[in-house]
Amino acid sequence: MLEHNRTNPVITIVFILGSLACLIPFWLILMVSLSGQNALAKYGYSFWPREFDLVAYRFLIHDAEPILRSFGVSILVTVIGTAVSLLVTSALAFSLSRQDFPYRGAVSLFVLITMLFGGGLLPWYLVYTKFLHLQNTLFALIVPGLLGAFNVFIIRTYFTTSIPPSLIDSAQIDGASEYRTYFNIIIPLSLPVLATIGLFTIVGYWNDWFTSLVFINTDKLYNLQYFLYNTLMNAQYLQSVADKAHIDAASLQVQPLEELRMAMAIIAVLPVALVFPFLQKYFVKGLTIGAVKG
Amino acid sequence: MEIGKQRATAAAGEWGSRTGRNPLRKLWKYRALWILALPGILLLLVNNYLPMFGVFLAFKDFNFSRGIWGSAWNGLDNFKFMFTTNDIWYTIAHTIGYNLAFLVINTVLSVLVALLLNEVKNRAMSKFYQSTMLLPHFISMVVVAYLAFGFFNPELGFINKSILEPMGREGVSWYMEPQYWPYILTVVNIWKSVGFGSIIYLATIVGIDKEYYEAAMLDGAGKWKQMTKITLPFLIPVIIILTLLAIGRIFSADFGLFYQVTMNSGMLKSTTEVIDTYVYSALLVSGDTNLASAAGLLQSVVGFILVVSVNMVVKRVSNDNSLF
Amino acid sequence: MHSIRKGSMLASSLLLSFALLAAGCGNNGNNGSTGENAGQTNNQDANQPANDQAAGNNQAANANSGNAGAEKPLDPYEVVMIYPDGKQNDLAAVQTAMNDYLQKTYPQMNMTVKLNPIDWGAYTDKLNLMMSSGEKFDLLWTANWMNFETQVNKGALLPLDELVDQYGPDIKSVEGDLLDGAKRKGKLYGIHVHQELGNPQGIALRKDLVDKYHIDLAPLASGEFKDLEPILKTIKENEPSVTPAVGPAFPLGAYFGSGSMESIIGPVGLDQRDTNADNTYKVVDMYETPRYMELAKLTHDWYKAGYINKDATTPGVDIWKKIQAKTAFAAIGTDLEIVKDMAIGKPSHMDGKSAQLGMDIIQVPMNIDRLHTSKLSATLQAISQTSKDPARAMMLLDLFYKDAKLLTLFNYGVEGTHYALNNGQIDLPQGKTKDNVGFYHDNQWQLGNQMLNFTRLGEDPNKYQNYEQFNEMVKSQSSPIIGFVFDSEPVKNELIAVGKVQSTYDPGLQSGQLDPEKDLPKMIDKLKAAGLDKIISEAQKQIDEWRAANGK
């Protein structure tokens, strides 16, 4: 192995190009968000604006209250949701990982089916509003994302492959209950997979706008992505409405500036980009996938 | 994975002997495991199983004032809209074609990138590459659509304004020229998903016991031989699982990709129409959500049948690699 | 990982878990009946107001029929209004002001309003879900291009004929016969907002360039777009960095639609340019009319000559921004502002647009709408079938047709806080901008009698007089099938298929990119394959029946 201590330069070049390809679009929207409106109309989008203008960000700061609030909602939902989700998902995965768990095959199938069949929008809405009465609460934003079958299986696979059963066995011979085994032995040993799934969940919550659209009617509880979606979509939507209703779209005055949309996109991406490097080191270890039957 | 499984089975044997034969006693004995599993099971029940009653909507003439149960049955009427013209067949062909292309290209590229990442010796650089390539996976399609628009906007976009025009070439009306879009959508899809896929495979590669490679090197096997004889066989189970899951969704396209990224431009439909956008635009014309129920049911049933049958084939070839 | 796909429905595991599914159904039995007996269950759901409902209804009836004798006040009722709007920070304050005003001015009605705006981007989805789940609300805004037909067909709206007779005297006196445009299968399902009855379409030009090149606008009096060509040529030759004309759909959009066709549904309608009197009621496909071909060719020629922009049909392109950035000269095929003494080919200053863009814009009308039935359901207020007291909802709606003060509160907010009057026009309070005033929208077209409104500063103070004058002009040229409403139920699948073909070809034809001589026949073939002829014969059948019934 000694002779291979340096990376092949061809590989390095491939990866540098690959990384650039992934970063460049973000750079482009960042630069558009910093461009002046007239320069945009004249010269188009470019990687280095001819005229810098912070008007989009100034506008965002000026109208900061709703953005900050939606930011707060997003963070709250993401933090609580991710914590509860990890607990519930890993607990289910723990039971499923135990070969001696009665009916584990049936329960596995029960979980698997949800991966192939989902709920429809309307019945799903009815369950949440008529049965659980969660509309217009933060629960409506949290509960839908709590458990994903895919995550259960990833965690389950990690438990069966990376935690020696003898460890569980000896703990239980020492008189540890299942709960203590789970909390004191399994969880501390599973940081890589929990970090990985945690990041998925964080991203899932952070990027979710649809639940907000469906269940939230008060702007106090809008999350950031919905706020962003709304700004982006309103512009597109109003254009078509204006044609049909014979009204002037501009007079509806929700038409945001190009650079404002881009600035909002940047703001939405930022937190994910920031939290990402801290969790990234667990990724490779945590992401092992095994068959459902286990 | 294999090794872990063996150990687990061995352990299960020991526990099994202590358990006794009475099923009720067995349940009671494992009540703690049931209690741990319960919150998850309940969530699945609420989030996934309760809404399944919606399947009936596909066969109903839904009326707001009568509700789901009170509305009249109308047989297969809700399915008819899909088959009024022959368009549905090329739409289905697109859906399957794109999905297969994405599946093959993404798998090949992801495995390739994973193999190459494994060859990067500098750990910090490796982490950096992983991070940047994973970033697009975390961006919502709405934002991706705006990124793409930044490039393809016919009058202001980067490609026309900063590449074609300086070269003295006429700008292309990207959102009106269907021939480019199979490539554009494939590239966008690669951009968004290969990073994630490669990390999954890399995870498996990293988990392979180093002893295999050392033994191979002692036998004089070169890099290529190690890759094809050791690494790939370890990756096959993962490839099969992910492929099976993808096949279950082969009739469903990524709505965000085909709707948002194309800006739903009508002129691109001859190459970009997929079942999900087809249904959505039908909804825009008629406003009748039962159509979506019907189409969704069709997609899931076909996907389900495909998964079960492909799984059966896999099982016959190699039982270990089947999904269930 | 947990994803919910919009608009897409899901399926069961028929094969696998019948038992589970059955369990699911069992649990949902309660749920289902909620929808089934929406009215009843809701009564139990919604605490006190619900229990008083029946009583309230009767009293409402008494109050109005007895009129003077209605001393006994109605039970309090909250009318929930659903309409699309952007976010308004001061919504609560405006709602309170409206309620104070209602309490003070109409104590006998004893009602309050709850304003429940929904974001534009979510309006269709959310409204649909609210209706499906039987949620209680009263007034909603709807339109024929916004699922009105589906809402009627699926029983979401109440028939209003009796309600408007009993509680809507002002609605009837303002709208009169125009209400009939929202009748479906003989019953009234929506109340038309009193507004302009049509629009002028034409050209908007930058005055600076018109002056610079001494452009003569007189030839446009012909009302023909081809006479615009020399003007575009002048600009093309002299101003290389300026696109001569930009537009959303060029002449093929509203100009062709309104000036050449009496549309019935989709691409099907009556050809207004067919001079043969026998063909007045003959249903044809618009793509097969000579006029369509003529305008499509013109558009294609302009596209080739570089007279029009290449991104015309790219979504999200804002043509006015191009004009403001001075990269474009004229906007064509767009709706124009309604001014006094409007006439085809007569240039006038575009006040609103000029103020908005900060530059002088001239408009030249090329076509003026006739009165079309479809326009009469293009913006409506309806009452939800989940309303607990439809009578009260109608009373409130009626107020918006007679009480300018109430309407002003809804449209402009609270005087002094959200607006100040400046010579009888609406102005922003001192030191406030549109963005920070807390309540600013232009939703006048969504509710009530628009003619009661104030105008905004910068608009023609006589805007609404101009509207009335314009309406007379529109009404004087009413469509031969005014009052006819097509029932699309028998051909709904064909309409979806035809709509698909249209969405594929329309952008290319309207932007000039496609060569009509080559592509139009292809499109027509596809339309026929999609069932166009069935739609045409169904439309012809319904037209003939309608004529027989109405003696036309």
Side-chain angles (χ1 to χ4, degrees):
Chain A
M1 296 280 265
L2 283 177
E3 67 269 41
H4 291 300
N5 251 343
R6 294 182 71 94
T7 311
N8 185 332
V10 178
I11 296 180
T12 307
I13 290 171
V14 167
F15 277 113
I16 287 179
L17 289 179
S19 300
L20 273 181
C22 290
L23 291 178
I24 275 176
F26 295 100
W27 178 257
L28 188 67
I29 49 169
L30 179 65
M31 286 303 119
V32 172
S33 75
L34 291 170
S35 301
Q37 189 185 5
N38 282 330
L40 272 186
K42 270 202 195 96
Y43 310 115
Y45 298 171
S46 58
F47 285 110
W48 194 253
R50 308 222 183 172
E51 297 161 23
F52 274 95
D53 194 339
L54 286 171
V55 67
Y57 292 91
R58 248 183 275 131
F59 186 88
L60 287 181
I61 290 169
H62 149 81
D63 200 16
E65 203 229 323
I67 293 182
L68 284 180
R69 197 193 353 242
S70 64
F71 217 100
V73 169
S74 278
I75 288 176
L76 193 69
V77 165
T78 306
V79 168
I80 297 177
T82 307
V84 176
S85 166
L86 281 179
L87 208 63
V88 174
T89 312
S90 64
L92 177 58
F94 173 64
S95 294
L96 283 179
S97 76
R98 296 282 297 273
Q99 297 288 330
D100 49 342
F101 178 47
Y103 303 108
R104 67 193 285 268
V107 178
S108 287
L109 193 66
F110 179 81
V111 180
L112 175 76
I113 286 168
T114 64
M115 262 163 113
L116 301 170
F117 296 99
L121 175 60
L122 174 55
W124 184 66
Y125 177 81
L126 290 177
V127 168
Y128 273 83
T129 55
K130 292 275 152 183
F131 186 59
L132 302 173
H133 297 285
L134 291 182
Q135 68 272 39
N136 281 325
T137 66
L138 285 178
F139 290 108
L141 298 179
I142 293 174
V143 179
L146 280 182
L147 197 92
F150 193 66
N151 297 347
V152 175
F153 289 124
I154 291 180
I155 299 183
R156 204 270 324 266
T157 310
Y158 186 89
F159 287 167
T160 52
T161 55
S162 306
I163 295 175
S166 56
L167 206 62
I168 303 175
D169 217 17
S170 57
Q172 299 199 329
I173 287 168
D174 289 349
S177 67
E178 297 283 6
Y179 311 112
R180 277 199 53 186
T181 317
Y182 166 65
F183 281 109
N184 294 350
I185 299 177
I186 303 289
I187 298 246
L189 282 176
S190 306
L191 280 185
V193 76
L194 294 181
T196 307
I197 300 303
L199 183 63
F200 287 172
T201 318
I202 289 174
V203 170
Y205 277 116
W206 188 262
N207 279 345
D208 173 47
W209 50 268
F210 191 61
T211 341
S212 230
L213 182 150
V214 172
F215 293 119
I216 303 299
N217 290 322
T218 149
D219 52 16
K220 302 251 183 310
L221 292 178
Y222 283 165
N223 65 20
L224 184 66
Q225 289 292 334
Y226 180 69
F227 195 82
L228 171 73
Y229 165 85
N230 211 16
T231 319
L232 296 177
M233 287 331 258
N234 267 349
Q236 268 185 26
Y237 205 78
L238 285 177
Q239 200 68 51
S240 66
V241 169
D243 291 346
K244 288 169 182 150
H246 296 283
I247 42 172
D248 185 357
S251 79
L252 292 166
Q253 73 102 29
V254 217
Q255 187 92 320
L257 311 162
E258 200 83 30
E259 61 267 31
L260 183 61
R261 297 185 212 171
M262 297 301 180
M264 293 187 72
I266 291 284
I267 287 186
V269 170
L270 214 57
V272 174
L274 286 181
V275 70
F276 183 65
F278 294 104
L279 296 173
Q280 197 267 344
K281 63 177 174 180
Y282 293 111
F283 252 51
V284 169
K285 274 193 204 154
L287 249 181
T288 324
I289 289 179
V292 169
K293 55 193 177 179
Chain B
M1 202 164 67
E2 287 300 304
I3 299 154
K5 207 192 271 179
Q6 279 159 17
R7 282 194 209 140
T9 325
E14 286 166 36
W15 278 327
S17 61
R18 277 190 266 125
T19 311
R21 294 280 160 221
N22 187 335
L24 278 179
R25 269 186 61 189
K26 204 167 136 190
L27 275 179
W28 179 245
K29 178 170 159 54
Y30 287 99
R31 63 189 183 279
L33 287 181
W34 278 107
I35 288 170
L36 283 174
L38 201 61
I41 291 175
L42 283 179
L43 274 172
L44 287 175
L45 211 57
V46 168
N47 276 338
N48 303 82
Y49 283 92
L50 286 190
M52 278 187 194
F53 72 87
V55 71
F56 294 113
L57 280 173
F59 306 100
K60 289 234 168 186
D61 180 8
F62 182 64
N63 186 302
F64 290 119
S65 53
R66 293 201 201 113
I68 293 179
W69 308 110
S71 296
W73 295 96
N74 69 347
L76 295 178
D77 264 14
N78 292 333
F79 293 85
K80 274 191 191 150
F81 83 101
M82 283 187 279
F83 301 97
T84 326
T85 62
N86 289 327
D87 286 4
I88 187 68
W89 305 114
Y90 83 74
T91 306
I92 290 176
H94 284 165
T95 313
I96 296 176
Y98 275 111
N99 276 331
L100 281 181
F102 291 171
L103 177 61
V104 171
I105 296 174
N106 283 347
T107 308
V108 170
L109 282 180
S110 300
V111 170
L112 200 68
V113 171
L115 291 173
L116 291 179
L117 266 177
N118 194 38
E119 297 299 318
V120 174
K121 304 295 183 217
N122 183 330
R123 289 185 54 127
M125 286 318 283
S126 174
K127 293 249 146 102
F128 173 75
Y129 301 146
Q130 289 172 34
S131 303
T132 49
M133 289 190 303
L134 202 48
L135 198 53
H137 178 71
F138 297 134
I139 307 306
S140 67
M141 268 299 174
V142 182
V143 176
V144 174
Y146 274 83
L147 294 178
F149 193 59
F151 283 88
F152 296 115
N153 182 337
E155 301 226 326
L156 301 176
F158 180 75
I159 295 186
N160 280 1
K161 205 78 183 179
S162 304
I163 298 181
L164 294 178
E165 276 178 30
M167 280 166 62
R169 301 257 302 273
E170 183 100 358
V172 176
S173 304
W174 293 101
Y175 291 91
M176 298 187 190
E177 303 272 1
Q179 70 270 31
Y180 301 113
W181 282 85
Y183 307 104
I184 294 176
L185 291 175
T186 308
V187 169
V188 172
N189 185 268
I190 290 173
W191 181 79
K192 206 167 182 315
S193 25
V194 164
F196 180 68
S198 65
I199 305 260
I200 291 184
Y201 292 113
L202 183 64
T204 311
I205 297 177
V206 171
I208 301 172
D209 202 325
K210 291 284 172 288
E211 285 171 27
Y212 290 104
Y213 294 99
E214 280 157 21
M217 278 198 289
L218 285 180
D219 290 347
K223 272 263 137 194
W224 177 252
K225 203 118 200 212
Q226 290 175 27
M227 228 179 244
T228 49
K229 298 286 178 196
I230 303 172
T231 317
L232 270 183
F234 270 100
L235 289 182
I236 297 255
V238 182
I239 295 176
I240 290 179
I241 288 165
L242 292 182
T243 305
L244 278 171
L245 288 176
I247 284 174
R249 307 199 29 88
I250 205 160
F251 252 56
S252 323
D254 180 344
F255 181 78
L257 180 66
F258 290 91
Y259 184 81
Q260 308 275 16
V261 177
T262 62
M263 298 259 167
N264 192 29
S265 174
M267 289 190 71
L268 304 181
K269 299 256 178 209
S270 61
T271 62
T272 65
E273 183 93 295
V274 289
I275 298 177
D276 298 77
T277 54
Y278 187 92
V279 172
Y280 188 74
S281 50
L283 275 185
L284 287 186
V285 176
S286 80
D288 185 348
T289 46
N290 295 347
L291 305 183
S293 312
L297 179 63
L298 206 62
Q299 286 176 311
S300 300
V301 168
V302 173
F304 184 77
I305 292 171
L306 282 175
V307 173
V308 171
S309 31
V310 176
N311 191 59
M312 242 152 62
V313 174
V314 174
K315 213 165 189 163
R316 197 157 285 182
V317 177
S318 135
N319 189 28
D320 282 348
N321 287 332
S322 62
L323 184 62
F324 44 83
Chain C
M1 290 294 115
H2 182 95
S3 74
I4 298 109
R5 276 172 309 124
K6 182 176 182 183
S8 153
M9 256 296 305
L10 222 298
S12 85
S13 46
L14 289 172
L15 301 162
L16 268 169
S17 52
F18 185 71
L20 283 173
L21 192 62
C25 296
N27 276 333
N28 274 283
N30 302 331
N31 243 348
S33 60
T34 309
E36 190 175 345
N37 307 323
Q40 286 180 12
T41 332
N42 278 335
N43 276 352
Q44 290 153 8
D45 279 0
N47 325 341
Q48 17 40 304
N51 294 332
D52 308 332
Q53 186 235 325
N57 247 337
N58 289 336
Q59 286 165 359
N62 291 339
N64 246 294
S65 54
N67 232 346
E71 256 71 64
K72 197 170 131 208
L74 294 168
D75 290 322
Y77 186 72
E78 182 182 72
V79 183
V80 178
M81 293 175 68
I82 308 271
Y83 57 93
D85 192 13
K87 186 175 136 54
Q88 308 293 346
N89 288 332
D90 281 1
L91 187 72
V94 172
Q95 183 178 301
T96 311
M98 284 174 79
N99 285 334
D100 291 348
Y101 178 79
L102 282 171
Q103 214 62 51
K104 199 177 75 207
T105 322
Y106 305 99
Q108 75 283 8
M109 292 188 183
N110 201 8
M111 67 181 152
T112 50
V113 293
K114 175 148 173 44
L115 301 178
N116 196 348
I118 296 175
D119 295 307
W120 271 108
Y123 192 71
T124 332
D125 282 336
K126 235 175 191 164
L127 191 58
N128 198 23
L129 287 172
M130 288 168 74
M131 288 172 168
S132 307
S133 65
E135 208 166 301
K136 183 252 167 192
F137 57 98
D138 304 282
L139 285 174
L140 68 142
W141 173 85
T142 180
N144 56 5
W145 43 274
M146 200 81 182
N147 289 345
F148 174 62
E149 318 291 337
T150 315
Q151 288 161 3
V152 172
N153 286 335
K154 298 214 170 281
L157 309 179
L158 285 181
L160 305 175
D161 307 74
E162 286 161 25
L163 287 169
V164 79
D165 283 345
Q166 210 171 344
Y167 305 109
D170 301 282
I171 294 174
K172 292 200 88 167
S173 73
V174 172
E175 281 296 284
D177 292 346
L178 298 178
L179 283 174
D180 293 350
K183 278 194 173 167
R184 295 296 180 264
K185 297 192 178 129
K187 279 187 183 160
L188 183 66
Y189 286 97
I191 302 296
H192 183 234
V193 174
H194 190 62
Q195 52 149 215
E196 71 275 25
L197 294 173
N199 291 85
Q201 296 92 30
I203 312 165
L205 313 120
R206 267 167 62 191
K207 186 164 183 295
D208 57 338
L209 289 180
V210 171
D211 291 346
K212 185 171 168 190
Y213 296 104
H214 309 289
I215 290 170
D216 178 15
L217 297 174
L220 296 176
S222 63
E224 288 294 335
F225 263 94
K226 63 176 189 291
D227 296 320
L228 183 66
E229 197 165 318
I231 300 174
L232 300 180
K233 194 155 176 266
T234 313
I235 299 295
K236 177 79 189 164
E237 282 164 2
N238 296 299
E239 296 277 342
S241 66
V242 172
T243 313
V246 293
F250 298 115
L252 291 177
Y255 171 73
F256 167 79
S258 169
S260 309
M261 289 294 291
E262 172 57 44
S263 174
I264 294 172
I265 186 89
V268 165
L270 310 178
D271 185 358
Q272 300 298 302
R273 297 207 161 230
D274 192 332
T275 45
N276 184 342
D278 294 343
N279 289 344
T280 310
Y281 293 99
K282 185 176 169 224
V283 179
V284 295
D285 158 29
M286 74 177 195
Y287 296 106
E288 290 178 78
T289 62
R291 177 68 166 172
Y292 189 88
M293 183 55 120
E294 178 198 331
L295 290 176
K297 269 200 233 165
L298 184 69
T299 313
H300 184 55
D301 290 343
W302 285 0
Y303 182 86
K304 281 191 296 187
Y307 291 165
I308 50 184
N309 54 324
K310 301 254 188 274
D311 61 355
T313 48
T314 305
V317 169
D318 184 346
I319 55 171
W320 298 106
K321 223 181 247 174
K322 287 173 193 269
I323 289 183
Q324 195 172 21
K326 304 211 167 183
T327 57
F329 163 65
I332 61 178
T334 59
D335 280 335
L336 301 178
E337 287 170 11
I338 294 168
V339 297
K340 194 172 189 303
D341 300 330
M342 203 131 207
I344 286 174
K346 184 179 164 194
S348 61
H349 191 255
M350 220 170 165
D351 292 345
K353 209 39 127 181
S354 304
Q356 188 193 327
L357 300 182
M359 62 202 295
D360 284 327
I361 304 289
I362 296 171
Q363 65 173 17
V364 186
M366 304 293 273
N367 178 60
I368 288 169
D369 279 342
R370 297 156 171 254
L371 183 61
H372 298 287
T373 315
S374 63
K375 182 72 184 170
L376 298 178
S377 53
T379 168
L380 301 168
Q381 288 283 334
I383 297 181
S384 165
Q385 56 100 4
T386 60
S387 170
K388 301 272 169 37
D389 192 347
R392 217 82 70 90
M394 185 57 84
M395 288 183 216
L396 177 66
L397 188 56
D398 192 64
L399 292 182
F400 287 112
Y401 284 79
K402 75 165 184 199
D403 189 326
K405 283 204 173 116
L406 188 64
L407 196 59
T408 302
L409 278 168
F410 178 82
N411 283 324
Y412 303 104
V414 179
E415 185 168 8
T417 316
H418 305 121
Y419 71 91
L421 280 180
N422 184 343
N423 287 329
Q425 288 191 298
I426 299 280
D427 193 4
L428 287 162
Q430 207 83 105
K432 292 283 184 184
T433 67
K434 278 203 259 186
D435 299 320
N436 68 15
V437 71
F439 192 86
Y440 188 101
H441 59 186
D442 280 307
N443 284 19
Q444 293 89 336
W445 55 280
Q446 285 176 7
L447 180 67
N449 179 357
Q450 230 189 317
M451 313 302 178
L452 295 177
N453 283 319
F454 287 107
T455 52
R456 284 197 193 276
L457 200 68
E459 287 180 324
D460 186 339
N462 297 320
K463 177 175 170 182
Y464 293 111
Q465 281 93 309
N466 297 341
Y467 274 23
E468 295 287 16
Q469 185 198 31
F470 183 79
N471 281 353
E472 289 311 312
M473 182 157 47
V474 171
K475 269 195 255 184
S476 71
Q477 299 191 46
S478 96
S479 134
I481 49 170
I482 185 80
F484 170 74
V485 177
F486 184 67
D487 173 14
S488 58
E489 220 27 45
V491 289
K492 62 178 181 186
N493 292 326
E494 284 76 14
L495 282 172
I496 290 173
V498 161
K500 262 178 210 308
V501 178
Q502 281 187 285
S503 74
T504 314
Y505 282 89
D506 274 352
L509 290 165
Q510 294 180 350
S511 65
Q513 172 137 339
L514 294 179
D515 178 0
E517 304 206 308
K518 204 172 89 233
D519 291 304
L520 202 50
K522 273 196 224 160
M523 178 194 193
I524 292 168
D525 283 348
K526 286 212 165 179
L527 286 170
K528 293 205 189 300
L532 181 70
D533 291 335
K534 191 173 164 197
I535 301 175
I536 292 180
S537 59
E538 178 66 31
Q540 189 70 65
K541 190 185 110 203
Q542 291 188 23
I543 288 268
D544 293 343
E545 284 166 8
W546 175 82
R547 285 179 66 192
N550 290 274
K552 299 259 175 169

